[in-house]
Amino acid sequence: MTARVAENDVVRGTVDTVYYASPQWSSGRLAVSNGGAVRFAGKLYARTGDLLTLRGRWTRHPQYGRQFDVASMEYDLPLDIDGLAHYLANHPDVKGIGPAKARVLAERYGHAFDQALDDEPEAMARAAHVPLESILALRALWQANALVNRASAWLASYELTHHQVSSLLKRLGNNAVTLLKEDPYLLVGEVPGFGFKRVDKVALKMGATKAQTGRIRAGVLETVREAIDAGHCWVEYQALVEEANALLTMDDLDSWQWVADMVDALVREGALAEVQHGGRLVTTPAMLEMERFLAEAFRRGTGASIHFRDEQDIGGLVASHAPTLNAGQHAAAMNALTFMVSLISGGAGSGKTYTITSILDLCESKGLRVVLAAPTGKAAKRMEQVTGREAFTIHRLLGYNGRAFRRGPDNPLETDVLIIDEMSMVDVPLAWRLFQALQLDRTSVVLVGDHNQLPPVGPGNVLRDLVQRRLVPMTLLEEVVRQAGVLKENSIAILGGTVPKTSPQAWYVFNDLDVPEHLARFICDMYREVLAQKLAHDLVADVQVLTPTHKGPMGTRALNIILQRLLQKMLHNVDVPTVPEGRRPRPLVHDKVIQTRNNYDLGVMNGATGIVRDVTSGGELVIEFDGDRVAIPAKSPWLQDVELAYSLSIHKAQGSEYPCVITVIHKAHSFQHHRNLFYTAVTRARKTAIVLGDAWGIRECARKRSTALRQTFLSLAPGWEESNG
């Protein structure tokens, strides 16, 4: 008779037979060390040859007899030396053990690491030159995570962070090891930050072959993903095959055909979709569905507005309520009242804001409920300031909580009129979400923006496509109003390819700063001698430095380090420590910072800027965003989403305005330069615009039109919607 065994019993052995296997449940037979065999079943993913540690309890099955009911499993893996070293050096709870000391411990004790921690902690401390307390703390941590240590160390060989390893194990369980052994390219797209190239480097090192099916599949999907990340909604078939083949570098004469066959297979199985329109255009099924939906929504939006269809003289109505509108503004207001979807596009100084306010007042005078929204918090706040009404971010309007949208086809927005500002920043996925939540037989929509500004960060170019293809009734406001001033007039000049010379008190151009180091010193001199003393700007709240790039001596990262050191010393007599190469500068009290990702737990959205009000002795960061204070714990991953904001990229500043903008335009960034970038930067300024750089770089930036046209379905001629996909 078999004695009753506790539910936390453990068996170890090698799987020699698998009766059934799935990622959620498996059954089979385990060969154990004494030569016997154990029948098992439960929550694991078993494959023949796996060396496993199973935890659970003994049961008696009515048909199969005594077997082990598995509650959890761990791969009985030999500890990977590289993985263990990376695990020890990067685990947030392992203190006092950096990369060099982690390497010593891994190489000396790796294969007997568990036993060494139990039996010889003193020797380990001496070998790595670390305090015994560090080793004892490591032992406690290792024992507390006994079920996943070896799997974690194996996964760490991919140079995953502790957070990434934990997320992967949570998503795939211990099955992650088996799944990744069979196809390491499953990591691509599964873990944020792990693209094909990074996974490929490790996978090849660990024995993957260049021609294996999983690698070719991942390479094709990565190429499509890269096109979408670059803002495109599709990639031409031939280009896709060539780019994927170049990415895979298989050094085989047949490799092109293998890639082509994989593209065809992915289309057949539905992992990719294609449209026949002058050739084969390949995309993801989701992207194709989104653009098809939007095309249909815009087509329906050309219908007559239900709110004013009984009005006999809409032109007269507009004229009586807003008699000061010019001809273009009057036409825009008429379109807004006549059609269910209309568009207003205009540049700096064209009176878009005044037109919006007039439409808003007119609709409210008829008892209609009007909702205002914009893509970013800054743009929404500016909308509130100029209209005197509440405005929402589009995400907030749609009830997004970080995981799901509350508003959609089954729970649509309940409003009569919706006005969306800064439409140039809205990408295809967000536009799709928005129009999914609208009833176009009830809600009329007014889209407002400037199609000469930069396209959105995400895929698509909705506003520009609408303008170029005239997909909805639209008005282009091309007349600069008399009150626009020198800033607006000079901004418009840039679109014509010229950069006006300095105009005192508002517009300053310094075009003799050829050397990057000289430019950085010049910025510092301006902060010290000009901005506050002569132009009366608050050096932190009013002044914003904009540059096209993050990297290099004139990128945001370098300039933020310089400006933090300067302003902390000037304003608060604080000496900022030198930032080690490759490290991020640490925000200090009084620093201007920006949130780089939506955080729904804190209620802080991507692009929000704030001031650090306190850094507690425990390392907690207290930041004030628009009058609200939030506290970020010392060890929180949320800290990675907070960066210095003295200097921002031009893309990041889109939708915001600042009293004073310093724009860096230099030949070193010429590969990124075009007049739309320049125009977007200087139109962020409300009172003072300062352009710094070299003469050639500034001149060429204004001269060069943007050639980076985005490949979108909405930009195609009519008829693509009916093609196969």
Side-chain angles (χ1 to χ4, degrees):
M1 184 175 175
T2 305
R4 182 177 176 83
V5 183
E7 291 190 5
N8 61 348
D9 208 5
V10 178
V11 295
R12 293 183 176 88
T14 303
V15 178
D16 67 3
T17 305
V18 175
Y19 303 128
Y20 174 82
S22 76
Q24 289 76 38
W25 193 91
S26 299
S27 64
R29 190 175 68 185
L30 200 71
V32 295
S33 57
N34 64 4
V38 170
R39 193 179 185 102
F40 66 85
K43 298 177 181 178
L44 75 160
Y45 189 23
R47 300 293 180 91
T48 303
D50 283 347
L51 188 61
L52 303 177
T53 297
L54 305 180
R55 298 176 186 270
R57 64 186 181 116
W58 292 99
T59 60
R60 184 164 295 279
H61 191 277
Q63 182 176 351
Y64 303 116
R66 187 171 183 261
Q67 66 178 25
F68 196 74
D69 186 7
V70 182
S72 64
M73 61 155 272
E74 181 187 9
Y75 289 98
D76 210 347
L77 299 164
L79 276 170
D80 182 275
I81 301 301
D82 290 339
L84 179 60
H86 191 271
Y87 175 89
L88 295 175
N90 292 279
H91 197 296
D93 296 326
V94 176
K95 306 299 185 184
I97 301 176
K101 295 175 180 180
R103 174 60 60 177
V104 169
L105 291 172
E107 290 182 348
R108 184 166 299 188
Y109 299 102
H111 297 300
F113 194 73
D114 311 72
Q115 187 173 351
L117 279 174
D118 288 338
D119 299 342
E120 35 185 327
E122 295 88 355
M124 294 177 80
R126 288 194 299 272
H129 301 288
V130 298
L132 177 60
E133 290 76 16
S134 295
I135 299 298
L136 295 177
L138 172 59
R139 181 170 69 181
L141 178 69
W142 194 263
Q143 291 171 345
N145 296 279
L147 283 175
V148 296
N149 283 328
R150 291 176 179 264
S152 296
W154 188 87
L155 290 170
S157 64
Y158 282 90
E159 300 178 4
L160 297 166
T161 66
H162 171 70
H163 178 70
Q164 290 168 331
V165 168
S166 300
S167 298
L168 198 60
L169 287 171
K170 186 176 181 180
R171 198 173 307 172
L172 301 178
N174 279 316
N175 303 336
V177 175
T178 291
L179 293 170
L180 293 177
K181 278 185 173 180
E182 292 185 351
D183 185 3
Y185 296 93
L186 291 173
L187 264 178
V188 181
E190 207 49 56
V191 179
F194 272 71
F196 175 84
K197 292 180 181 177
R198 186 172 180 183
V199 173
D200 193 46
K201 180 181 177 182
V202 181
L204 293 174
K205 177 183 172 184
M206 297 177 71
T209 62
K210 283 192 171 185
Q212 72 182 54
T213 301
R215 182 173 184 269
I216 298 173
R217 178 187 179 92
V220 170
L221 293 174
E222 176 75 358
T223 303
V224 176
R225 204 162 25 242
E226 285 180 350
I228 291 173
D229 288 344
H232 303 294
C233 296
W234 53 263
V235 57
E236 194 272 327
Y237 176 87
Q238 197 77 8
L240 169 59
V241 174
E242 291 173 358
E243 290 168 19
N245 192 43
L247 174 68
L248 291 162
T249 59
M250 289 181 283
D251 303 321
D252 193 290
L253 292 176
D254 294 325
S255 64
W256 192 95
Q257 189 59 54
W258 295 344
V259 175
D261 291 344
M262 179 57 71
V263 175
D264 294 340
L266 289 168
V267 170
R268 284 195 303 273
E269 71 178 65
L272 293 177
E274 70 173 30
V275 165
Q276 297 283 348
H277 191 87
R280 299 175 64 183
L281 313 181
V282 184
T283 185
T284 64
M287 185 59 65
L288 178 57
E289 173 56 31
M290 285 188 283
E291 286 217 86
R292 277 183 170 157
F293 177 90
L294 287 172
E296 174 60 18
F298 296 141
R299 187 193 63 77
R300 290 172 53 214
T302 59
S305 170
I306 65 167
H307 306 302
F308 293 91
R309 62 188 174 191
D310 297 329
E311 185 68 43
Q312 298 298 312
D313 184 9
I314 291 180
L317 177 67
V318 173
S320 64
H321 278 77
T324 58
L325 294 175
N326 63 31
Q329 296 167 334
H330 180 92
M334 282 190 61
N335 274 349
L337 271 56
T338 303
F339 302 102
M340 291 306 291
V341 179
S342 65
L343 184 152
I344 305 169
S345 181
S350 62
K352 292 194 302 294
T353 298
Y354 183 57
T355 307
I356 292 172
T357 305
S358 299
I359 294 169
L360 175 60
D361 291 340
L362 204 155
C363 289
E364 288 183 339
S365 73
K366 293 293 184 179
L368 299 176
R369 185 191 176 200
V370 185
V371 171
L372 307 177
T376 67
K378 285 286 187 181
K381 193 168 186 68
R382 186 159 54 86
M383 214 175 176
E384 286 184 345
Q385 292 167 346
V386 298
T387 64
R389 280 82 159 180
E390 183 180 15
F392 303 85
T393 65
I394 296 175
H395 282 83
R396 183 184 165 203
L397 181 68
L398 299 178
Y400 187 62
N401 61 6
R403 295 172 295 278
F405 290 84
R406 185 170 61 84
R407 295 290 187 178
D410 298 327
N411 184 26
L413 291 168
E414 297 174 356
T415 185
D416 300 311
V417 181
L418 174 65
I419 301 177
I420 303 291
D421 199 10
E422 296 290 352
M423 191 63 195
S424 64
M425 301 176 68
V426 177
D427 60 18
V428 164
L430 185 56
W432 173 74
R433 286 285 184 188
L434 177 65
F435 276 85
Q436 271 209 320
L438 291 172
Q439 296 173 299
L440 291 180
D441 57 353
R442 182 223 164 145
T443 302
S444 60
V445 184
V446 183
L447 306 174
V448 185
D450 183 355
H451 67 280
N452 288 310
Q453 289 194 28
L454 296 173
V457 174
N461 201 352
V462 177
L463 179 63
R464 195 165 188 85
D465 289 346
L466 289 172
V467 170
Q468 290 185 332
R469 282 293 174 189
R470 297 185 175 272
L471 298 177
V472 297
M474 64 177 226
T475 309
L476 298 182
L477 300 180
E478 297 176 312
E479 179 184 345
V480 178
V481 298
R482 286 181 301 170
Q483 300 85 356
V486 67
L487 280 184
K488 306 300 184 186
E489 293 170 0
N490 289 355
S491 300
I492 296 297
I494 289 173
L495 290 178
T498 62
V499 183
K501 296 180 180 178
T502 295
S503 307
Q505 301 305 311
W507 181 267
Y508 303 86
V509 179
F510 300 91
N511 61 5
D512 57 349
L513 300 166
D514 293 56
V515 182
E517 290 73 20
H518 294 175
L519 189 146
R521 284 200 295 271
F522 190 86
I523 291 176
C524 291
D525 290 342
M526 291 196 72
Y527 270 86
R528 292 191 189 98
E529 301 169 11
V530 176
L531 296 175
Q533 298 177 23
K534 297 182 180 180
L535 299 180
H537 288 301
D538 183 306
L539 296 181
V540 176
D542 290 355
V543 183
Q544 187 61 61
V545 177
L546 301 181
T547 182
T549 184
H550 294 291
K551 299 179 180 179
M554 293 172 294
T556 60
R557 294 166 188 168
L559 291 175
N560 271 320
I561 290 172
I562 292 168
L563 291 172
Q564 182 192 42
R565 185 177 294 121
L566 172 73
L567 293 172
Q568 285 286 349
K569 187 65 177 178
M570 278 182 62
L571 303 178
H572 311 291
N573 199 32
V574 172
D575 293 310
V576 179
T578 301
V579 181
E581 186 71 27
R583 296 289 185 89
R584 288 164 32 122
R586 182 167 57 89
L588 305 175
V589 179
H590 309 300
D591 273 337
K592 180 161 68 173
V593 294
I594 186 169
Q595 178 75 16
T596 61
R597 187 180 304 176
N598 289 340
N599 188 317
Y600 295 92
D601 294 304
L602 294 176
V604 183
M605 299 297 104
N606 183 11
T609 56
I611 302 294
V612 178
R613 296 305 184 191
D614 191 20
V615 181
T616 69
S617 57
E620 183 180 68
L621 200 65
V622 181
I623 307 172
E624 184 174 330
F625 293 100
D626 293 325
D628 297 324
R629 294 197 178 196
V630 300
I632 305 176
K635 297 180 181 179
S636 172
W638 295 341
L639 289 173
Q640 297 300 311
D641 302 332
V642 177
E643 297 179 357
L644 294 177
Y646 298 110
S647 176
L648 297 176
S649 71
I650 297 171
H651 275 91
K652 182 62 78 174
Q654 194 167 355
S656 300
E657 285 188 345
Y658 313 92
C660 177
V661 169
I662 300 174
T663 302
V664 176
I665 302 291
H666 194 274
K667 60 187 176 185
H669 305 144
S670 61
F671 66 97
Q672 293 180 303
H673 281 173
H674 53 84
R675 65 178 62 165
N676 300 90
L677 182 89
F678 200 168
Y679 170 79
T680 300
V682 297
T683 53
R684 302 307 93 205
R686 284 202 304 270
K687 294 181 179 179
T688 309
I690 301 169
V691 180
L692 306 181
D694 63 294
W696 184 90
I698 292 172
R699 184 177 62 252
E700 286 300 295
C701 189
R703 184 189 66 82
K704 189 164 66 174
R705 296 179 181 272
S706 176
T707 57
L709 297 176
R710 295 194 169 185
Q711 297 173 158
T712 70
F713 290 109
L714 288 175
S715 66
L716 301 178
W720 67 269
E721 307 94 323
E722 283 71 46
S723 59
N724 294 328

